[in-house]
Amino acid sequence: MTRQWVVNASPLIVLTKINQVHLLSEFCSKVVIPSGVVQEICIAPDNDRAKHYD
């Protein structure tokens, strides 16, 4: 069974700040980031690492 998580901005921001965002893909097969979350992260300051995560 495929494990799929839908995440909001908070876990993405916190996990990138502590260099642990890779945990999302380790615990589930698919990570879904809603477009509203993408927009929220895109308006962050340029020095916010969550904004530049691939």
Side-chain angles (χ1 to χ4, degrees):
M1 177 162 75
T2 301
R3 193 170 195 150
Q4 177 177 315
W5 288 1
V6 178
V7 295
N8 64 19
S10 295
L12 293 173
I13 293 167
V14 170
L15 288 170
T16 55
K17 285 184 180 186
I18 62 170
N19 294 320
Q20 298 298 315
V21 74
H22 63 89
L23 293 174
L24 291 174
S25 60
E26 289 182 23
F27 288 119
C28 64
S29 303
K30 184 176 181 180
V31 177
V32 177
I33 304 171
S35 62
V37 173
V38 173
Q39 291 172 356
E40 181 179 346
I41 290 174
C42 285
I43 62 171
D46 286 337
N47 64 347
D48 189 331
R49 293 187 346 200
K51 185 173 183 176
H52 302 287
Y53 175 72
D54 290 346

Coordinates of all heavy atoms in Angstrom, one line a residue:
M1 N 0.8 -1.2 0.0 CA 0.0 0.0 0.0 C 0.9 1.2 0.0 O 1.9 1.3 0.7 CB -0.9 0.0 1.2 CG -1.8 1.2 1.3 SD -3.2 1.1 2.4 CE -2.5 1.2 4.0
T2 N 0.5 2.2 -0.8 CA 1.3 3.5 -0.9 C 0.9 4.4 0.2 O -0.3 4.6 0.5 CB 1.0 4.2 -2.3 OG1 1.4 3.3 -3.3 CG2 1.7 5.5 -2.4
R3 N 1.8 4.9 0.9 CA 1.6 5.8 2.0 C 1.8 7.2 1.5 O 2.9 7.6 1.1 CB 2.6 5.5 3.1 CG 2.3 6.1 4.4 CD 3.1 5.6 5.5 NE 2.5 6.0 6.7 CZ 2.6 5.3 7.8 NH1 3.2 4.2 7.9 NH2 2.0 5.7 8.9
Q4 N 0.7 8.0 1.6 CA 0.7 9.4 1.1 C 0.4 10.4 2.2 O -0.5 10.2 2.9 CB -0.3 9.5 0.0 CG -0.5 10.9 -0.6 CD -1.5 10.9 -1.8 OE1 -1.4 10.0 -2.6 NE2 -2.4 11.8 -1.8
W5 N 1.3 11.4 2.3 CA 1.0 12.4 3.3 C 0.8 13.7 2.6 O 1.4 14.1 1.6 CB 2.2 12.6 4.2 CG 2.5 11.5 5.2 CD1 1.7 10.4 5.3 CD2 3.5 11.4 6.1 NE1 2.3 9.6 6.3 CE2 3.3 10.2 6.8 CE3 4.6 12.2 6.4 CZ2 4.2 9.8 7.8 CZ3 5.4 11.9 7.5 CH2 5.2 10.7 8.1
V6 N -0.2 14.5 3.1 CA -0.4 15.9 2.7 C 0.1 16.8 3.8 O -0.3 16.6 5.0 CB -1.9 16.1 2.5 CG1 -2.1 17.6 2.0 CG2 -2.5 15.2 1.4
V7 N 1.1 17.6 3.5 CA 1.7 18.5 4.5 C 1.4 19.9 4.3 O 1.2 20.4 3.2 CB 3.2 18.2 4.6 CG1 3.5 16.8 5.0 CG2 3.9 18.6 3.3
N8 N 1.3 20.6 5.4 CA 1.2 22.1 5.3 C 2.5 22.8 5.5 O 3.6 22.1 5.6 CB 0.1 22.6 6.4 CG 0.5 22.4 7.8 OD1 1.7 22.2 8.1 ND2 -0.4 22.4 8.7
A9 N 2.5 24.1 5.6 CA 3.8 24.8 5.6 C 4.6 24.5 6.9 O 5.9 24.5 6.8 CB 3.5 26.3 5.4
S10 N 4.0 24.4 8.0 CA 4.7 24.3 9.3 C 5.8 23.2 9.3 O 6.9 23.4 9.6 CB 3.8 24.2 10.5 OG 3.0 25.3 10.6
P11 N 5.4 21.9 9.0 CA 6.4 20.9 9.0 C 7.5 21.1 8.0 O 8.7 20.8 8.2 CB 5.7 19.6 8.7 CG 4.3 19.9 8.4 CD 4.1 21.4 8.7
L12 N 7.2 21.7 6.8 CA 8.2 21.9 5.8 C 9.2 23.0 6.3 O 10.4 22.8 6.2 CB 7.6 22.4 4.5 CG 6.7 21.4 3.8 CD1 6.0 22.0 2.6 CD2 7.6 20.2 3.3
I13 N 8.7 24.0 6.9 CA 9.6 25.1 7.4 C 10.4 24.6 8.6 O 11.7 24.8 8.6 CB 8.7 26.3 7.9 CG1 8.1 26.9 6.6 CG2 9.6 27.3 8.6 CD1 7.0 27.9 7.0
V14 N 9.8 23.9 9.5 CA 10.6 23.4 10.7 C 11.6 22.4 10.3 O 12.8 22.4 10.7 CB 9.6 22.9 11.8 CG1 10.4 22.2 12.9 CG2 8.8 24.0 12.3
L15 N 11.2 21.4 9.5 CA 12.2 20.4 9.1 C 13.3 20.9 8.2 O 14.4 20.4 8.4 CB 11.4 19.3 8.3 CG 10.5 18.4 9.2 CD1 9.7 17.5 8.3 CD2 11.3 17.6 10.2
T16 N 13.1 21.9 7.4 CA 14.2 22.5 6.7 C 15.2 23.3 7.6 O 16.4 23.2 7.4 CB 13.8 23.4 5.5 OG1 12.9 24.4 6.0 CG2 13.1 22.6 4.4
K17 N 14.6 23.9 8.6 CA 15.4 24.7 9.5 C 16.4 23.8 10.3 O 17.5 24.2 10.7 CB 14.6 25.5 10.5 CG 14.0 26.7 9.8 CD 13.2 27.6 10.8 CE 12.7 28.8 10.0 NZ 12.0 29.7 10.9
I18 N 15.9 22.5 10.6 CA 16.8 21.6 11.3 C 17.4 20.6 10.4 O 17.9 19.5 10.9 CB 16.0 21.0 12.5 CG1 14.8 20.1 12.0 CG2 15.5 22.0 13.5 CD1 14.2 19.2 13.0
N19 N 17.4 20.8 9.1 CA 18.1 19.9 8.2 C 17.5 18.5 8.2 O 18.3 17.5 8.1 CB 19.6 19.9 8.3 CG 20.2 21.3 8.0 OD1 19.8 21.9 7.1 ND2 21.2 21.7 8.8
Q20 N 16.2 18.3 8.4 CA 15.6 17.0 8.5 C 14.5 16.8 7.5 O 13.7 15.9 7.7 CB 15.2 16.7 9.9 CG 16.3 16.7 10.9 CD 17.4 15.7 10.7 OE1 17.0 14.5 10.4 NE2 18.6 16.1 10.7
V21 N 14.3 17.7 6.5 CA 13.2 17.6 5.6 C 13.2 16.2 4.9 O 12.1 15.8 4.5 CB 13.1 18.8 4.6 CG1 14.2 18.7 3.6 CG2 11.8 18.9 4.1
H22 N 14.3 15.6 4.8 CA 14.4 14.3 4.1 C 13.5 13.2 4.8 O 13.2 12.2 4.2 CB 15.8 13.8 4.0 CG 16.5 13.6 5.4 ND1 16.4 12.4 6.0 CD2 17.1 14.5 6.2 CE1 17.0 12.5 7.2 NE2 17.4 13.8 7.3
L23 N 13.2 13.5 6.1 CA 12.4 12.5 6.8 C 11.0 12.3 6.2 O 10.5 11.2 6.3 CB 12.3 13.0 8.3 CG 13.5 12.9 9.1 CD1 13.3 13.5 10.5 CD2 14.1 11.5 9.2
L24 N 10.5 13.3 5.6 CA 9.2 13.2 4.9 C 9.2 12.1 3.9 O 8.3 11.2 3.9 CB 8.8 14.5 4.3 CG 8.4 15.7 5.2 CD1 8.2 16.9 4.4 CD2 7.2 15.3 6.1
S25 N 10.2 12.1 3.1 CA 10.2 11.0 2.0 C 10.7 9.7 2.6 O 10.4 8.7 1.9 CB 11.2 11.5 0.9 OG 12.5 11.7 1.3
E26 N 11.3 9.7 3.7 CA 11.7 8.4 4.3 C 10.5 7.7 5.0 O 10.5 6.5 5.1 CB 12.8 8.6 5.3 CG 14.1 9.0 4.7 CD 15.3 9.1 5.6 OE1 15.2 8.6 6.7 OE2 16.2 9.8 5.2
F27 N 9.5 8.5 5.5 CA 8.4 7.9 6.2 C 7.2 7.6 5.3 O 6.2 7.0 5.7 CB 8.0 8.8 7.4 CG 9.0 8.7 8.5 CD1 9.6 9.9 8.9 CD2 9.2 7.6 9.2 CE1 10.5 9.9 9.9 CE2 10.1 7.5 10.2 CZ 10.8 8.7 10.6
C28 N 7.2 8.1 4.1 CA 6.0 7.9 3.2 C 6.5 7.8 1.8 O 7.6 8.2 1.4 CB 5.0 9.0 3.4 SG 5.5 10.6 2.9
S29 N 5.6 7.2 0.9 CA 6.0 7.1 -0.5 C 5.8 8.3 -1.3 O 6.5 8.5 -2.3 CB 5.1 5.9 -1.1 OG 5.3 4.8 -0.3
K30 N 4.8 9.1 -0.9 CA 4.5 10.3 -1.7 C 4.1 11.4 -0.7 O 3.4 11.3 0.2 CB 3.3 10.0 -2.6 CG 2.9 11.1 -3.5 CD 1.8 10.7 -4.4 CE 1.4 11.8 -5.4 NZ 0.3 11.4 -6.2
V31 N 4.7 12.6 -1.0 CA 4.4 13.8 -0.2 C 3.7 14.8 -1.1 O 4.1 15.1 -2.2 CB 5.7 14.5 0.3 CG1 5.4 15.8 1.0 CG2 6.5 13.5 1.2
V32 N 2.5 15.2 -0.7 CA 1.7 16.1 -1.4 C 1.7 17.5 -0.7 O 1.5 17.6 0.5 CB 0.2 15.6 -1.5 CG1 -0.7 16.6 -2.3 CG2 0.2 14.3 -2.2
I33 N 2.1 18.5 -1.5 CA 2.1 19.9 -0.9 C 1.1 20.7 -1.7 O 1.2 21.0 -2.9 CB 3.5 20.5 -1.1 CG1 4.6 19.6 -0.5 CG2 3.5 21.9 -0.5 CD1 6.0 20.0 -0.7
P34 N 0.0 21.1 -1.0 CA -1.1 21.8 -1.7 C -0.6 23.2 -2.2 O 0.4 23.7 -1.7 CB -2.1 22.0 -0.6 CG -1.9 21.0 0.4 CD -0.4 20.7 0.4
S35 N -1.2 23.6 -3.3 CA -0.8 24.9 -3.9 C -0.8 26.1 -3.0 O 0.1 26.9 -3.0 CB -1.6 25.2 -5.1 OG -3.0 25.4 -4.8
G36 N -1.7 26.1 -2.0 CA -1.8 27.2 -1.0 C -0.5 27.2 -0.2 O 0.0 28.2 0.2
V37 N 0.0 26.0 0.1 CA 1.2 25.9 1.0 C 2.4 26.4 0.1 O 3.3 27.1 0.6 CB 1.4 24.4 1.4 CG1 2.8 24.2 2.1 CG2 0.3 24.0 2.3
V38 N 2.4 26.0 -1.1 CA 3.5 26.5 -2.0 C 3.5 28.0 -2.1 O 4.6 28.6 -1.9 CB 3.4 25.8 -3.4 CG1 4.4 26.5 -4.4 CG2 3.6 24.3 -3.3
Q39 N 2.4 28.6 -2.2 CA 2.3 30.0 -2.3 C 2.7 30.7 -1.0 O 3.4 31.7 -1.0 CB 0.8 30.5 -2.6 CG 0.4 30.1 -4.0 CD -1.1 30.4 -4.2 OE1 -1.8 30.7 -3.3 NE2 -1.5 30.2 -5.4
E40 N 2.4 30.1 0.2 CA 2.8 30.6 1.5 C 4.3 30.5 1.6 O 4.9 31.5 2.1 CB 2.1 29.8 2.6 CG 2.5 30.2 4.0 CD 1.8 29.4 5.1 OE1 0.9 28.7 4.8 OE2 2.2 29.6 6.2
I41 N 4.9 29.5 1.2 CA 6.4 29.4 1.3 C 7.1 30.3 0.3 O 8.1 30.9 0.6 CB 6.8 27.9 1.1 CG1 6.4 27.1 2.3 CG2 8.3 27.8 0.9 CD1 6.6 25.6 2.2
C42 N 6.5 30.5 -0.9 CA 7.1 31.4 -1.9 C 7.1 32.8 -1.5 O 8.0 33.6 -1.9 CB 6.3 31.2 -3.2 SG 6.7 29.7 -4.1
I43 N 6.3 33.3 -0.6 CA 6.3 34.6 -0.1 C 7.2 34.9 1.1 O 7.4 36.0 1.5 CB 4.9 35.2 0.2 CG1 4.3 34.4 1.4 CG2 4.0 35.2 -1.0 CD1 3.0 35.1 1.9
A44 N 7.9 33.8 1.5 CA 8.8 33.9 2.6 C 10.1 34.7 2.2 O 10.3 34.8 1.0 CB 9.3 32.5 3.0
P45 N 10.8 35.2 3.1 CA 12.0 35.9 2.8 C 13.0 35.0 2.0 O 13.0 33.8 2.1 CB 12.6 36.3 4.1 CG 11.5 36.2 5.1 CD 10.6 35.2 4.6
D46 N 13.8 35.6 1.2 CA 14.8 34.8 0.4 C 15.7 34.0 1.2 O 16.3 33.0 0.7 CB 15.6 35.8 -0.6 CG 14.7 36.2 -1.7 OD1 13.7 35.6 -2.1 OD2 15.0 37.3 -2.3
N47 N 16.0 34.4 2.4 CA 16.9 33.6 3.2 C 16.2 32.4 3.9 O 16.9 31.7 4.7 CB 17.6 34.5 4.3 CG 16.7 35.1 5.3 OD1 15.5 35.0 5.1 ND2 17.2 35.6 6.3
D48 N 15.0 32.2 3.7 CA 14.2 31.1 4.3 C 14.6 29.8 3.5 O 14.3 29.7 2.3 CB 12.7 31.3 4.3 CG 12.0 30.3 5.1 OD1 12.4 29.1 5.2 OD2 10.9 30.6 5.6
R49 N 15.2 28.8 4.1 CA 15.6 27.6 3.4 C 14.5 26.8 2.9 O 14.6 26.1 1.9 CB 16.5 26.8 4.3 CG 17.8 27.5 4.6 CD 18.9 26.7 5.3 NE 18.5 25.5 6.0 CZ 19.2 25.0 6.9 NH1 20.3 25.5 7.3 NH2 18.8 23.8 7.5
A50 N 13.3 26.9 3.5 CA 12.2 26.1 3.0 C 11.8 26.6 1.6 O 11.3 25.9 0.7 CB 11.0 26.3 3.9
K51 N 12.0 27.9 1.3 CA 11.7 28.5 0.0 C 12.6 27.9 -1.1 O 12.2 27.8 -2.3 CB 11.9 30.0 0.1 CG 11.5 30.7 -1.2 CD 11.6 32.2 -0.9 CE 11.2 33.0 -2.1 NZ 11.1 34.4 -1.9
H52 N 13.8 27.4 -0.8 CA 14.7 26.9 -1.8 C 14.9 25.4 -1.8 O 15.7 24.9 -2.4 CB 16.1 27.6 -1.6 CG 16.0 29.0 -1.7 ND1 15.8 29.7 -2.8 CD2 16.0 30.0 -0.7 CE1 15.7 31.0 -2.6 NE2 15.8 31.2 -1.3
Y53 N 14.0 24.7 -1.0 CA 14.1 23.2 -1.0 C 13.6 22.6 -2.3 O 12.6 23.1 -2.9 CB 13.3 22.7 0.2 CG 13.2 21.2 0.2 CD1 14.4 20.4 0.5 CD2 12.1 20.5 -0.2 CE1 14.4 19.1 0.5 CE2 12.1 19.1 -0.2 CZ 13.2 18.4 0.1 OH 13.2 17.0 0.1
D54 N 14.2 21.6 -2.8 CA 13.8 21.0 -4.1 C 13.0 19.8 -3.8 O 13.3 18.9 -3.1 CB 15.0 20.5 -4.9 CG 15.8 21.7 -5.5 OD1 15.2 22.8 -5.5 OD2 16.9 21.5 -5.9

